[in-house]
Amino acid sequence: MTHAPGAPDATLSERPPAPVGAAELPALRRRVQAVLITTQILGGLGIAIGVALAAVLARDVSGSEALSGLASTATVAGPALLAMPLAALMASRGRRAGLVLAYLIGAAGAGVAVLGAVADSFALLLLGLVGFGAGSSANLAARFAAADLAEPDRRARAISTVVWATTIGAVLGPNIAAPAGESVSGLGIPATAGPFVWAAGVFVVAALVVSFLLRPDPLLTARALAEAGTPGGAAPEGRSLRAGMRAVRESPRARLALVTVAGSHTAMVSIMSMTPVALTHHGADIRMVGLVISGHIAGMYAFSPLMGWLSDRLGRLSVIGLAVGLIGVAALIAGTAGASHGRTALGLFVLGLGWSAGLVSGSALLTDSVPQAARAAVQGLSDFVMNTAAGVGGLAAGLIVAEAGYGPLNALAACLLLPMAALVLRSSFRKD
């Protein structure tokens, strides 16, 4: 018995949608992509509004610059904590259930962060930022949803198109941080917490869009298509988290993909999270910080279609090598910028480009390297590893800046590229 695409979510794990015909598949791909693009714009807006001033808000509430790095740690701790449960949920219920849950947790977390700022409670603020970071889980998972129904030779481009859509909201977000702060004046809410009020509302809207429009579910549809051509289908245990970990252990290129995504993300988060603090040291105001972070986010997302095209045309390994080079150059430029706001902005823009190259090529390589049944679990493992590593990096970044400065932070972040470079070279001379 098959499951109708519009049937209640409660039955998704037991009765997946029937495979669509070849003639229907292109239209379904376009519909899924349109919904994901819409939610990426909304999610990117919600995330960027809050992230722009998270470190500054943490510094103001805690009264300590060294502790300001905990804001970044908290925002990436949320996705890290949610990654594996989210992967398990998606493996059994599909993308829609997981994305809705992540956006709603992000909205609740943003609300708690506001309460922490009002109560001048650093612990409550950090708790809220952990939940707020779950919004990032949804946007990260959406890139894999875009790959579910894509042709193998267009998989990186499908991922990059959805990543690109975040540009609109993500670039706009930091620039409306100031108006968002002004909008809560007179309400007893600190201006630096105003962006989180807006973020909560945006995440709720994103959850509603996914809930009502992402039908049929792309992961469940892709699985039904794959199992239709496999005698007996795939066993449910083949979709478990344990099966996903086993698939990674058995594939050297899947391990390279994990290192790429985690390394590029950790280097980016470590540098980006402390850039607002470094800028304010040199006299930058909130608007200047917003402009620099906007340029960085433009580098992260606006050129992702180019990274996807390169990854499909030149190969995943070539673009991973490009990511290593770009992030290294970015660390050099930003780390030696000093009081030059323009040089810092350039470094952050190049850093965004390097992150985009690493995320798109690494995500495509990961999807290529494991069986379809294990993909949801492996993709969740990838997000867990990348966010856990970035959380540690964010925590260390605050301590490094407080003790040694912004320049040494960039130098140490560049050292994270060494394992990526070594594995790329090794993979270039071997076959899995």
Side-chain angles (χ1 to χ4, degrees):
M1 182 175 180
T2 59
H3 172 69
D9 286 350
T11 62
L12 286 177
S13 62
E14 299 176 4
R15 292 177 290 177
V20 297
E24 303 169 273
L25 197 53
L28 178 57
R29 288 187 182 118
R30 289 192 296 270
R31 178 179 176 180
V32 167
Q33 189 170 73
V35 174
L36 293 174
I37 285 173
T38 301
T39 57
Q40 285 294 97
I41 293 172
L42 292 169
L45 177 61
I47 294 163
I49 293 174
V51 165
L53 293 178
V56 177
L57 177 60
R59 182 192 63 188
D60 292 346
V61 173
S62 68
S64 169
E65 192 166 279
L67 293 177
S68 63
L70 287 175
S72 173
T73 300
T75 57
V76 295
L81 292 172
L82 190 61
M84 300 306 279
L86 200 62
L89 178 62
M90 288 184 178
S92 63
R93 298 277 299 279
R95 300 291 187 194
R96 186 168 65 249
L99 293 176
V100 168
L101 177 63
Y103 279 129
L104 291 180
I105 293 176
V112 173
V114 173
L115 292 177
V118 172
D120 202 29
S121 170
F122 188 57
L124 190 59
L125 172 65
L126 291 181
L127 178 63
L129 290 176
V130 170
F132 168 75
S136 297
S137 295
N139 271 32
L140 288 170
R143 76 191 192 278
F144 291 124
D148 286 333
L149 295 172
E151 305 99 317
D153 63 347
R154 296 185 61 86
R155 190 168 285 148
R157 275 170 281 186
I159 291 171
S160 66
T161 298
V162 171
V163 172
W164 168 85
T166 311
T167 308
I168 301 172
V171 172
L172 180 62
N175 288 296
I176 64 174
E182 294 165 3
S183 72
V184 299
S185 63
L187 299 178
I189 299 174
T192 47
F196 291 96
V197 176
W198 287 31
V202 171
F203 283 151
V204 169
V205 174
L208 291 173
V209 170
V210 171
S211 181
F212 286 103
L213 299 181
L214 194 63
R215 296 171 183 270
D217 188 282
L219 175 61
L220 298 178
T221 301
R223 184 176 294 160
L225 286 168
E227 293 176 4
T230 304
E237 57 268 21
R239 306 166 190 161
S240 68
L241 295 178
R242 180 176 298 179
M245 294 178 185
R246 183 170 61 251
V248 171
R249 287 197 302 269
E250 293 172 352
S251 171
R253 293 210 168 187
R255 295 196 295 273
L256 166 60
L258 281 179
V259 170
T260 296
V261 172
S264 57
H265 190 60
T266 302
M268 184 277 291
V269 168
S270 300
I271 296 172
M272 181 273 291
S273 64
M274 296 310 298
T275 297
V277 175
L279 285 169
T280 57
H281 273 168
H282 295 290
D285 59 14
I286 289 179
R287 294 186 187 277
M288 175 56 70
V289 171
L291 287 172
V292 172
I293 298 301
S294 289
H296 167 65
I297 294 174
M300 290 173 65
Y301 300 115
F303 295 88
S304 57
L306 173 62
M307 302 305 176
W309 181 82
L310 290 172
S311 187
D312 283 335
R313 292 296 298 272
L314 304 180
R316 318 307 193 208
L317 298 184
S318 296
V319 181
I320 292 174
L322 176 63
V324 171
L326 287 171
I327 296 173
V329 170
L332 176 63
I333 295 173
T336 58
S340 172
H341 297 161
R343 189 177 174 87
T344 301
L346 175 61
L348 267 288
F349 175 73
V350 177
L351 179 67
L353 291 177
W355 177 88
S356 179
L359 184 78
V360 171
S361 59
S363 298
L365 180 62
L366 184 69
T367 304
D368 294 341
S369 303
V370 297
Q372 200 284 333
R375 282 176 187 166
V378 170
Q379 290 157 355
L381 176 63
S382 170
D383 286 348
F384 170 75
V385 171
M386 69 182 281
N387 285 297
T388 300
V392 174
L395 175 60
L399 299 174
I400 292 168
V401 168
E403 295 297 326
Y406 184 65
L409 169 65
N410 279 267
L412 290 173
C415 292
L416 297 173
L417 304 172
L418 297 176
M420 291 170 55
L423 287 175
V424 167
L425 290 174
R426 182 180 179 184
S427 294
S428 298
F429 294 103
R430 64 175 293 176
K431 294 182 179 181
D432 291 351

